[in-house]
């Protein structure tokens, strides 16, 4: 006798055990995540077998823990050839049961922190709550401070009043040798911030921030590597817009190339941020501020095509979603970078880099060559400081040559 779970899955027998009444809801849950029919079948059958095992072991619903799937799979392996996705499938099941409130959330004992880690954690909280710094800044600063405290105090007590200028200078000199110049400057900024924080809290009588060595900063040492307009055109023409993934990738590449968005801004773009009536949209920049952009016709058309004929059905408010289950928004900027790398390789383009920032550089370079001012370029790219935009004055050498005065006395 067959038992129908929903309109997609049929079991050979009625499910038994503590999960029997919830297997249908689980099937609907994973179906809504966009999994293929074969995967839904496999996960539901595994859930039914797991429920039968729980019944044989005398384990009730409220007693199920994350250890039970592991024990079940160990027993199952004695009779059935294990499949690679079995553990992940049962992990989805446990997550579903917890989300529905059917089994309790397990308390994970927090690892015991060393005094240095406690100190770094307090500094992190200060940056987030008192200073309200951008998350990107916090993520970059705190590891340097953890390393500094570990280097100075090991796993023992942290007595910041014992620190000396020699400790600070020694740490910077040692670390700067193995870091890129930009990372080294970031490290020194983090150290100055932490030492000022410690002095402000009264944990240090001396303000050792002044003892942090200065990393040499040559003005605009390198020219940004920019993708050329011809390469952008070739890249866009190589995208197959007849597929859902192609429509998504085409819209993403247009946002990068035509508006110079950062990869994180594209990944986190939400449906509510687009105002179709006014033809504008806004993104949250890395500094945490909102930046409004005009929505060019070609870009809006590409996004609309994806939303209408490519975007999977989902409750997510993100504009761009994963093409494979679980269907959800991208976790971060890395996914956009991956899309760019694959698109460049498929098109056979030897771009300056395989990263996403080359599109910002390419847009700025082209605007400069067409006569845009540095202020206009900075506004488009969302630069907070004019110095950031100044680097693009190095890219248009031909335009700069027209400003050169002739040599007195003519040619020799």
């Amino acid at each position: 006798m067959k038992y129908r779970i929903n309109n997609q899955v049929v079991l050979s027998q009625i499910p038994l055990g503590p999960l029997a009444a919830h297997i249908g809801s689980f099937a609907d849950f994973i179906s809504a995540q966009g999994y293929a029919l074969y995967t839904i079948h496999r996960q539901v059958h595994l859930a039914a077998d797991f429920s039968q095992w729980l019944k044989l072991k005398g384990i009730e619903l409220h007693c199920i823990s994350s250890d039970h799937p592991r024990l079940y799979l160990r027993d199952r392996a004695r009779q059935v050839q294990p499949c690679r996705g079995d553990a992940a499938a049962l992990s989805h099941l446990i997550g579903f049961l917890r989300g529905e409130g059917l089994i309790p959330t397990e308390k994970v004992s927090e690892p015991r922190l060393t005094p240095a880690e406690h100190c770094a954690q307090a500094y992190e909280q200060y940056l987030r709550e008192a200073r309200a710094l951008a998350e990107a800044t916090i993520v970059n600063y705190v590891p340097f401070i953890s390393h500094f405290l570990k280097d100075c105090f090991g796993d023992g007590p942290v007595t910041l009043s014992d620190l000396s200028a020699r400790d600070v200078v020694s740490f910077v000199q040692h670390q700067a040798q193995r870091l890129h110049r930009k990372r080294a400057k970031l490290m020194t900024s983090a150290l100055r911030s932490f030492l000022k924080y410690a002095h402000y809290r009264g944990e240090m009588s001396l303000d050792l921030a002044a003892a942090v060595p200065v990393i040499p900063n040559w003005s605009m040492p390198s020219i940004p590597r920019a993708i050329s307009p011809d390469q952008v055109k070739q890249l866009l023409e190589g995208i197959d817009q007849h597929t859902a993934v192609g429509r998504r990738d085409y819209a993403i590449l247009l946002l990068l190339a035509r508006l110079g968005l950062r990869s994180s801004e594209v990944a986190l773009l939400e449906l509510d941020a687009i105002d179709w009536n006014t033809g504008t949209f806004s993104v949250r920049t890395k500094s945490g501020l909102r930046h409004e952009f005009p929505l060019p016709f070609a870009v809006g058309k590409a996004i609309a095509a994806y939303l209408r004929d490519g975007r999977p059905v989902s409750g997510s408010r993100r504009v761009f979603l994963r093409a494979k289950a679980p269907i959800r928004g991208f976790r971060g900027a890395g996914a956009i970078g991956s899309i760019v790398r694959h698109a460049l390789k498929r098109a056979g383009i030897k771009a300056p880099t395989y990263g996403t920032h080359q599109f910002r550089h390419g847009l700025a370079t082209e605007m400069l060559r067409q006569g845009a001012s540095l202020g206009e370029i900075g506004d488009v790219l969302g630069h907070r400081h004019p110095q950031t935009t100044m680097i693009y004055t190095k890219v248009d050498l031909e335009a700069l040559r027209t400003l050169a005065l002739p040599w007195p006395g003519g040619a020799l």
Side-chain angles (χ1 to χ4, degrees):
M1 176 180 178
K2 293 186 176 181
Y3 181 81
R4 181 174 292 276
I5 293 294
N6 57 14
N7 60 354
Q8 291 181 303
V9 183
V10 176
L11 297 178
S12 59
Q13 61 182 10
I14 297 175
L16 301 174
L19 304 181
H22 309 289
I23 289 180
S25 299
F26 175 61
D28 293 336
F29 169 76
I30 55 177
S31 177
Q33 298 296 307
Y35 285 97
L37 184 58
Y38 168 78
T39 304
I40 297 172
H41 271 272
R42 188 169 59 81
Q43 294 202 30
V44 170
H45 279 79
L46 191 62
D49 290 345
F50 180 50
S51 183
Q52 177 80 16
W53 179 85
L54 292 169
K55 180 176 183 298
L56 292 174
K57 296 293 183 180
I59 300 170
E60 298 181 3
L61 180 62
H62 66 277
C63 296
I64 298 174
S65 73
S66 57
D67 285 334
H68 291 127
R70 177 179 56 81
L71 297 173
Y72 162 67
L73 291 176
R74 187 186 64 186
D75 289 352
R76 178 184 173 88
R78 298 188 182 112
Q79 301 175 1
V80 181
Q81 181 70 25
C83 292
R84 189 176 63 177
D86 287 351
L90 290 180
S91 177
H92 293 159
L93 175 61
I94 295 296
F96 163 76
L97 295 173
R98 284 180 180 152
E100 294 293 307
L102 298 171
I103 63 174
T105 301
E106 296 177 26
K107 293 182 179 180
V108 180
S109 58
E110 295 185 2
R112 192 172 182 178
L113 300 179
T114 65
E117 290 169 337
H118 268 296
C119 187
Q121 194 176 73
Y123 171 65
E124 178 180 355
Q125 185 176 2
Y126 162 78
L127 294 180
R128 183 171 284 112
E129 297 179 2
R131 295 287 308 281
L133 294 186
E135 192 63 28
T137 303
I138 297 172
V139 168
N140 278 298
Y141 275 22
V142 174
F144 285 126
I145 303 309
S146 296
H147 193 176
F148 172 65
L149 294 172
K150 175 79 172 177
D151 186 73
C152 293
F153 301 103
D155 294 332
V158 172
T159 309
L160 296 178
S161 59
D162 290 344
L163 287 175
S164 66
R166 179 178 296 178
D167 296 322
V168 176
V169 172
S170 175
F171 177 78
V172 172
Q173 288 177 336
H174 179 71
Q175 295 299 317
Q177 294 176 4
R178 62 182 189 85
L179 293 175
H180 185 276
R181 186 181 57 84
K182 288 185 177 180
R183 290 291 296 170
K185 286 179 63 63
L186 192 62
M187 173 188 65
T188 56
S189 297
L191 275 176
R192 291 188 189 98
S193 169
F194 173 75
L195 293 170
K196 288 179 180 178
Y197 152 82
H199 179 63
Y200 167 77
R201 286 173 56 90
E203 297 183 42
M204 300 174 61
S205 58
L206 296 175
D207 184 359
L208 292 181
V212 178
V214 175
I215 302 297
N217 181 28
W218 296 280
S219 179
M220 298 183 294
S222 61
I223 297 175
R225 291 183 288 178
I227 189 170
S228 71
D230 289 341
Q231 289 174 323
V232 171
K233 181 180 179 183
Q234 181 184 346
L235 179 65
L236 293 173
E237 289 176 347
I239 302 294
D240 182 5
Q241 297 182 58
H242 295 95
T243 67
V245 172
R247 284 188 282 271
R248 181 199 68 185
D249 293 355
Y250 184 76
I252 286 173
L253 290 169
L254 273 182
L255 285 169
L256 294 172
R258 299 288 182 255
L259 294 168
L261 294 191
R262 299 178 178 90
S263 53
S264 59
E265 294 167 351
V266 175
L268 302 179
L269 182 63
E270 297 194 346
L271 295 169
D272 300 329
I274 302 177
D275 189 333
W276 296 100
N277 293 322
T278 61
T280 60
F281 72 100
S282 63
V283 299
R284 188 173 297 279
T285 66
K286 66 178 184 180
S287 61
L289 302 176
R290 276 300 212 190
H291 187 193
E292 187 171 283
F293 290 86
L295 186 63
F297 176 77
V299 179
K301 181 180 178 182
I303 295 175
Y306 168 65
L307 296 178
R308 184 176 58 248
D309 298 320
R311 187 177 184 271
V313 176
S314 171
S316 173
R317 300 305 295 167
R318 296 276 184 84
V319 172
F320 301 109
L321 304 179
R322 286 165 45 95
K324 296 181 179 179
I327 302 300
R328 61 190 180 202
F330 298 125
R331 288 188 176 181
I336 306 301
S338 179
I339 289 171
V340 168
R341 285 193 300 274
H342 285 98
L344 289 169
K345 288 180 179 179
R346 281 196 304 268
I349 297 174
K350 293 184 178 179
T353 75
Y354 281 104
T356 58
H357 237 57
Q358 62 182 317
F359 293 98
R360 284 173 65 82
H361 299 326
L363 176 64
T365 301
E366 192 60 23
M367 288 180 66
L368 184 64
R369 287 174 177 161
Q370 292 181 9
S373 68
L374 291 179
E376 291 170 333
I377 295 172
D379 288 341
V380 169
L381 298 184
H383 289 163
R384 296 179 63 189
H385 305 291
Q387 293 88 341
T388 309
T389 317
M390 282 292 292
I391 195 169
Y392 293 108
T393 60
K394 298 185 71 175
V395 300
D396 197 357
L397 300 181
E398 293 303 319
L400 292 176
R401 286 192 183 100
T402 64
L403 303 178
L405 295 175
W407 185 262
L412 295 176

